[in-house]
Amino acid sequence: MHGDSPLAHRLTSELLDRIGGEVTVILPSKRRNHGPQIARMDNVRIIEAPDLTKEALQAAHIDTALALALVNQDDVGNIHAAMWAQELNPELRIVLRMFDRQLGRQLSAMFTDCAILSDAAVAAPWFVADALGELAPTHLHMQGRTLRVADRSQVKADRIVCGLATTAPNMQPRLLPEDQNAANLVLAVADGSQSDPLNSYRRQRLPGLVALRRMRGLVSRTLLIFLATFLVLLVLVTVAFATAGDHYSWWDSIYLTILDAAGAAQPQPGDPSIEKIAQAVVTITGIALIPITTATVVDAVFGGRLAATLGRLRGPVRDHFVIVGLGNVGSMVLEQLHNLGLPVVCVERNAEARGVRLARRLGVPVVFGDVNDPATLREAYAGASRAVLALTSDDITNLRAALSARDLKPGMRVVLRLFDGDFALRVQQNYDITRSRSVSFLSAPSFALAMTESQVINTIGVARQVLLVAETPIQRGSQLVEGTLAGIEALGDVRVLGLGRRGGTWVDWAPDRDQKLVENDQPVVVATRAGLNRVVERSIGVGYAEPLEDDEV
C-alpha cells in the first residue's frame, strides 16, 4: 500500500484485522501525517520514499505481491504509480483511490485487474442520511436492475427481495434477522411508485409560490421595497380619483392614473383640491417609477446572472441545508442533496476548493469566509436551516462549526465529520451532536475488500450499523467451490441477492439456491461486515483473522 493519509492508516488496520500476515506500506516519512501511527502497528513493514518510484515498488517486492492499494489524494500520481506496478507485476490486483469517478471508469480498461474507488463517494450517503434524519434514499443499480431500501409497508409483497433489519424506537436494530417477515426494513425492486423514498424528499410547491420565490431571488430586497411602495401609492391615487367626486368612474380613475404616471398630466386649476393633490402625487410617483422599474429590470437580469455565476445569496433563505467545506466529501454530499431537489447553501474559505465550481454549475450559493467566525454561519442563514453538515478535513474546524451552529439555534440537527472514532462518539454524546462520522472508517472496509477482488457495490446505513452489498468472486480451490448459495447464507449474517460470473455483466436474480457453485461464479450478497468476512474468507481460501463482530461505524 502507498500513502500516509487517514485512509491509509485505517486501511492498514483493516487489512491486519481481516487478513493477518504482514502489510507493506510505502510512505514519504514515518514522522509526518499518519506515518507515526502506521509505523507503530505490528506486522507492518515501512518503506520510506519521498516519491513513489519504480525503485520504491521494487523494494516493496511488488513483483510477488497479490494486491496494491494507492490511496493518496493525487489522482494523477496514483494512475502513474499503477502503470509502473502493472509493468513490474502484470497479475497484480490494483486498487486506486480516485475522486473523479468518470475518469476512473475510462482508465480502468488500461489495467488487467483494477478496482477504482472513491472514499468520498462511499461516505457521502451516510452524511446525507444523517442530515435528513432518517434512512437515506438508497438505490442500487446493478446489471439492469434497480433496488431500493424501504419500509415494508411502502412496497408490495411481490417486490420485496429480502428483509434487511428489524428496527424500533430506542432499540438497537437487528440486522438480517432469520425470520425475513419480521424485518420492517426491506430491500425491494424499485418500480417508480409514489412510495419510492426519492419522491418524498422532493418538495411539492404550488406553481405560484415557485414563481414568487424565483422572482424574489432575482431582484434585490431594496428594489422590491421601493417598487412595492410606488405601486401602493398608485393604487391609493386611483382610489382617490374614484372617490373624490361623482364624475369619475373606476375605469376613468385607472385611465387618469396611468396617463399621469406616464407624464401626461394636464394642470386643471378648477379641479377640487383632493384631485389636485392626487394628480400631483401620481405625476411625481410616475417620474420616480420609471427609473425604479428600469433599475429593477437591470438588477434582475444582470444581478441575477452574476449571483448565479458566483453562487451568492440574493436574500434570506430557510429550511435549507448548510454544507461547511467543499472538499471531496462536501462536493459529493452537495451533489446528492441537490439531486434530491433540496435547497443547499455552502460555506467555504477557499475560492479554489474542488466543490466551488460544482456549486456554481448547480446554481448553489456559496458564502466565502472563515467558519470560525460566527458571522459566516449567520450569513448562510444557518439558524433558519434544517441541518448543518461540517465536512472539512480539519476536526477542530468541524467541531467549532458544529458548536457555533448550536449557538445560533439550540437543538439544531448537526452532522459532524471527525477522524477519530472514539473522539467522535464522545463529542456526539457530550455535546448532543446529532451524528459524527469518520470518512476513512466508513470507506476502509470497501478498499480492503477490493484488494481481495471482492467489490463493494453499495453500503446501507441502519442507525450506526452498516450493511454491505458486494460481489464476491469464487476463486480456484476456495472452500465455496462445490458449495451452494444456501450454504453461503448458512454462514450467518448474509443474504444472496443474485449470481453472476466473474468479469461478466449478466446476473441471475432468481438463482437456484441448491445449485453447485464453480470457479469464477460471483454471488451478489448483502451482509454485515462480519458476515462478509466469512464469505470472502471462504471464497479466496486465505486464512483470515477472526471476523469483526462490531458493525458500528
Side-chain angles (χ1 to χ4, degrees):
M1 181 176 60
H2 173 250
D4 59 359
S5 64
L7 176 58
H9 179 190
R10 295 283 191 192
L11 180 55
T12 303
S13 176
E14 191 79 21
L15 290 172
L16 291 171
D17 288 340
R18 286 174 178 270
I19 303 175
E22 184 180 77
V23 176
T24 300
V25 181
I26 305 173
L27 44 74
S29 172
K30 292 189 291 186
R31 291 170 292 279
R32 295 199 304 267
N33 298 326
H34 284 261
Q37 295 93 322
I38 296 174
R40 284 196 295 267
M41 295 181 181
D42 295 331
N43 297 322
V44 173
R45 177 175 173 239
I46 301 294
I47 296 178
E48 292 184 280
D51 299 302
L52 184 58
T53 61
K54 282 188 176 181
E55 290 73 21
L57 289 171
Q58 289 171 335
H61 303 298
I62 200 67
D63 56 325
T64 59
L66 296 176
L68 168 67
L70 300 164
V71 296
N72 265 351
Q73 289 190 347
D74 179 6
D75 287 1
V76 175
N78 288 342
I79 294 169
H80 202 179
M83 292 178 178
W84 280 336
Q86 185 167 257
E87 289 179 8
L88 296 171
N89 185 351
E91 303 299 321
L92 182 68
R93 171 69 170 176
I94 300 174
V95 178
L96 275 177
R97 171 188 184 175
M98 287 191 68
F99 175 79
D100 191 332
R101 292 169 294 173
Q102 181 177 358
L103 177 61
R105 287 191 293 268
Q106 294 170 339
L107 293 177
S108 60
M110 297 171 51
F111 303 101
T112 304
D113 187 6
C114 180
I116 297 178
L117 302 176
S118 166
D119 56 334
V122 172
W126 293 82
F127 291 106
V128 172
D130 294 335
L132 295 173
E134 49 191 295
L135 183 72
T138 302
H139 281 61
L140 316 177
H141 304 281
M142 299 181 294
Q143 283 79 28
R145 198 184 210 204
T146 300
L147 305 177
R148 65 184 178 92
V149 180
D151 190 275
R152 182 181 290 272
S153 62
Q154 296 178 335
V155 294
K156 298 178 181 178
D158 61 348
R159 310 299 288 179
I160 296 175
V161 176
C162 70
L164 296 177
T166 302
T167 63
N170 303 320
M171 290 183 60
Q172 185 79 349
R174 187 158 56 95
L175 303 181
L176 301 176
E178 292 186 11
D179 183 4
Q180 292 286 289
N181 294 324
N184 60 304
L185 191 67
V186 300
L187 191 64
V189 178
D191 55 9
S193 64
Q194 288 299 315
S195 62
D196 191 320
L198 280 178
N199 297 324
S200 64
Y201 292 104
R202 295 188 175 96
R203 296 187 176 188
Q204 303 296 322
R205 298 187 179 95
L206 296 175
L209 292 178
V210 174
L212 287 175
R213 287 181 180 271
R214 288 179 178 174
M215 182 179 294
R216 189 181 67 179
L218 287 174
V219 183
S220 70
R221 188 176 183 182
T222 303
L223 283 177
L224 280 178
I225 292 173
F226 274 115
L227 187 59
T229 301
F230 285 121
L231 289 177
V232 169
L233 285 174
L234 292 178
V235 171
L236 293 176
V237 168
T238 302
V239 173
F241 275 134
T243 58
D246 55 3
H247 58 287
Y248 288 135
S249 65
W250 280 102
W251 173 250
D252 289 336
S253 301
I254 295 173
Y255 172 73
L256 288 172
T257 300
I258 293 174
L259 288 185
D260 289 348
Q266 297 293 329
Q268 297 293 334
D271 287 348
S273 298
I274 187 63
E275 291 186 20
K276 291 178 180 178
I277 295 173
Q279 194 171 42
V281 170
V282 74
T283 302
I284 295 172
T285 302
I287 293 172
L289 185 61
I290 294 174
I292 290 295
T293 303
T294 304
T296 301
V297 173
V298 171
D299 183 67
V301 175
F302 294 100
R305 289 179 181 177
L306 181 61
T309 302
L310 299 180
R312 291 176 178 170
L313 285 166
R314 295 278 289 172
V317 292
R318 60 183 305 104
D319 295 332
H320 57 294
F321 294 84
V322 177
I323 297 177
V324 178
L326 285 177
N328 290 352
V329 178
S331 300
M332 291 288 184
V333 173
L334 165 61
E335 187 174 22
Q336 292 189 19
L337 287 174
H338 183 270
N339 289 341
L340 290 174
L342 296 170
V344 180
V345 174
C346 301
V347 176
E348 175 57 54
R349 181 172 55 185
N350 181 14
E352 302 299 323
R354 184 188 293 273
V356 172
R357 183 179 300 177
L358 172 65
R360 288 173 176 170
R361 179 169 60 82
L362 299 177
V364 173
V366 181
V367 174
F368 291 101
D370 188 349
V371 76
N372 294 322
D373 182 358
T376 303
L377 285 179
R378 285 197 294 269
E379 188 177 348
Y381 297 96
S385 66
R386 292 173 61 182
V388 172
L389 299 93
L391 305 178
T392 75
S393 57
D394 183 72
D395 284 3
I396 297 300
T397 298
N398 291 337
L399 182 57
R400 285 177 177 170
L403 297 180
S404 295
R406 278 295 174 85
D407 289 340
L408 291 175
K409 182 181 177 182
M412 171 184 289
R413 176 169 291 276
V414 176
V415 181
L416 192 59
R417 173 187 176 183
L418 294 174
F419 169 76
D420 190 303
D422 182 64
F423 177 58
L425 186 59
R426 292 178 184 277
V427 167
Q428 182 177 318
Q429 294 172 344
N430 295 331
Y431 292 97
D432 194 26
I433 300 298
T434 306
R435 187 72 74 197
S436 54
R437 300 284 190 187
S438 166
V439 173
S440 57
F441 193 91
L442 291 170
S443 56
S446 297
F447 282 81
L449 284 168
M451 294 182 74
T452 64
E453 299 193 44
S454 299
Q455 180 68 48
V456 174
I457 302 171
N458 212 322
T459 58
I460 301 171
V462 184
R464 285 191 63 86
Q465 300 185 82
V466 60
L467 290 171
L468 303 172
V469 181
E471 296 173 337
T472 54
I474 298 175
Q475 299 179 9
R476 179 183 305 173
S478 75
Q479 298 178 34
L480 293 182
V481 173
E482 295 299 316
T484 64
L485 296 179
I488 291 178
E489 292 189 340
L491 295 174
D493 299 325
V494 182
R495 296 288 179 271
V496 176
L497 303 179
L499 180 63
R501 290 288 290 174
R502 183 180 181 182
T505 59
W506 180 82
V507 173
D508 180 3
W509 295 111
D512 182 357
R513 302 285 164 157
D514 295 322
Q515 174 184 334
K516 295 292 184 181
L517 297 172
V518 297
E519 178 187 344
N520 290 329
D521 273 349
Q522 185 166 271
V524 180
V525 303
V526 56
T528 65
R529 291 176 64 187
L532 190 56
N533 273 351
R534 290 190 282 269
V535 176
V536 172
E537 175 187 1
R538 288 159 177 79
S539 68
I540 63 176
V542 176
Y544 270 39
E546 286 299 313
L548 301 178
E549 297 299 338
D550 183 6
D551 295 309
E552 288 202 352
V553 296

